[in-house]
Amino acid sequence: MFKKPLCNKGAAILLAVLFSAFWVCSAFAAGNIHFGRLKVEPGIDYKLKYDDNIFKESANEEDDYIHIFTPSVRMSYAGNPGNFFNAGYSADLVAYSDFDNNNYTTQRPWVAFGYRNPAGFYIQAADDFVYTKDPLGSRNQYQLGVNTERWNNNANVTIGYEFAGQYSVEVLYKRYVERYDLDQDKWQDRTDNVYGMSFIYKMTPKTSVFGQIRRTDAEYDEQNDGVTGDGVTWSAATSQDYSLNDFFIGARFEPGGKLSGELKIGYGEKSFDNETSPLFANRVYEDESTWIAESSINYQMYERTGIALTLNRGHLGSPDSDAASYIDTDVGLHLTQGLQNRLALLVGMDWITNDYQNEVSGRPDKFFNIYNAGIGIEWAARDWLKAGVEYRLESKKATEDTYASQEYDDNVVAFRISALF
């Protein structure tokens, strides 16, 4: 695990330029790199973007030009069906033109493998690690707009057995760890342990239906150890620890047909381990339940027309003192349309809602709508070289004026060029 960025901002930019020059030269000389079934793909990506609200503020917005260099390398080995090994590393080297104190590096090493034998036994595992100091906020939007040093690690393993050619049983385990560098942020350190089981019926060679049960135990490690955060001192008797019990039904669509991806809809319950929070005179934690979803479907309508649909909904722990939890819902629709001369039109929109639960008594209901829309053109100059431009608008609006200070509009225009050899 990385504890510090590998290079400072000046060296980072120089490193990216050197990588770019080396790989561009080697691409014309050698092409893709193969060692038997092992394929190695180095790459480089450069994005220049103008952002008119880099801190995502409701007033006194600041704008800047941002340079993002992303060198990467990916290794992949494909054996018999179900047997594979993939690994890779990428780093975002980000430099602001004016607000250079915001410069940061994000590092992402990852690995995944799968094994399947003729008898029907199979196992798949993956691990990805992220170290960053970006201002993009954590999954629950903690410190959005503020450069925050942190890392997270997401590991998972699935073990299954297929019998009679149509039925499968899977068990899964996931472990998610998030850690912050500064003492003032450590109250959001968290460890999730996830256990699950799925029962699968294969309707066709590429389509399966399934049912899944899953439990998540989430522990706020530093809160249980008595850390001070958000103006209060936490303890094992007041921490935000919780458990989730989720039940899904769904369908899987294997690649190769018009449909690919997974659709999951279900019901979820969130239960807090403790009774009261130290915030606002020992406010009571309240358990809750709602419908949930984890879906990502790709539909290849025509040879040059693809549609991607996402639907995700679930409970998230809130870092906001107004409420201990919120329900996050994300509906996305994205279109890729091939044009003439190796051009493609990219259009997409996501609608996200944050519905905070059991707010402090006397406060209005806390509910946000977040709209994220974009349009762009991508040009595949070569099979290994792409360039494009895009415009994106992100807008966050509250349904109550009390929370207007958390609203923002953010416009981004970007140019991007990437090569993969």
Side-chain angles (χ1 to χ4, degrees), residues 217-229:
D217 292 317
E219 180 179 351
Y220 287 81
D221 306 84
E222 294 295 329
Q223 289 186 17
N224 284 282
D225 290 340
V227 72
T228 297

Side-chain angles (χ1 to χ4, degrees), residues 26-27 29-35 38-42 383-384 420-421:
S26 63
N32 291 337
I33 305 170
H34 296 268
F35 301 96
L38 178 65
K39 181 168 66 172
V40 181
E41 297 175 295
D383 291 339
W384 54 271
L420 183 66
F421 311 116

Side-chain angles (χ1 to χ4, degrees), residues 2-5 105-107 129-132 149-151:
F2 300 106
K3 294 300 182 182
K4 294 295 180 184
T105 301
T106 297
Q107 304 180 64
F129 178 86
V130 178
Y131 180 96
T132 188
E149 192 166 2
R150 63 196 185 278
W151 62 263

Side-chain angles (χ1 to χ4, degrees), residues 170 172 194-199 210-215 245-249:
E170 292 181 351
L172 67 89
V194 184
Y195 315 87
M197 177 174 288
S198 300
F199 304 90
F210 65 90
Q212 183 181 83
I213 56 176
R214 192 176 67 194
R215 179 179 175 85
N245 292 298
D246 299 329
F247 309 89
F248 291 101
I249 57 172

